Amino acid sequence: MRLTGHVIGMLKEYMWDLVEQAKQEEQHNSFGYKTAAYRPDQAISDLLAILDDRLESEGSQVGLPEGLLHQMWILCDEAQGHVNETVWLESNLEIIASKSKTRELTYKALLDYIQHRAEE
């Protein structure tokens, strides 16, 4: 099943929500509290969790196809190597690594992978 522009748009919205959520968490946790490094696989898990939640609560109402969660799980599994490598390279170019930046880089790499796959 190919991802439509509508589905990709919804995914981008969910990704943006997660990045914004991480930024808010970082503002509240900025008082000397050090957390473990946040990894791309955690960002993917968070995306799949919010997708599962949104599919249950509003999936058919916003036009998300049945089976999307399974399709995204497979796609994310296939993209894992590309995403990990891209995030590692880009995060090493920056001095500050944060949960929001990791999510941003992960979702950008995942969308690049989806776009490249659609062009094949």
Side-chain angles (χ1 to χ4, degrees), residues 1 7 9 15 23 36 40 42-45 67 69 80-82 88 91-92 94-95 99 102 112:
M1 177 161 74
V7 170
M15 291 171 181
K23 286 179 182 177
Q42 293 171 299
I44 295 291
S45 292
L69 181 62
Q80 186 176 4
H82 169 77
W88 181 83
S91 64
N92 281 320
E94 298 195 22
I95 296 171
K99 184 176 184 176
T102 300
D112 289 345

Side-chain angles (χ1 to χ4, degrees), residues 12-67:
K12 286 180 180 180
E13 182 180 321
Y14 300 157
M15 291 171 181
W16 184 82
D17 288 348
L18 287 167
V19 170
E20 289 302 310
Q21 175 193 41
K23 286 179 182 177
Q24 291 174 3
E25 288 174 10
E26 289 163 4
Q27 288 175 344
H28 292 357
N29 294 334
S30 64
F31 299 104
Y33 179 68
K34 184 76 172 164
T35 59
Y38 187 76
R39 301 179 319 266
D41 63 306
Q42 293 171 299
I44 295 291
S45 292
D46 290 343
L47 175 63
L48 293 173
I50 196 173
L51 181 59
D52 183 36
D53 182 58
R54 301 278 172 94
L55 283 167
E56 280 187 28
S57 64
E58 62 188 27
S60 60
Q61 298 166 353
V62 295
L64 295 175
E66 208 171 296

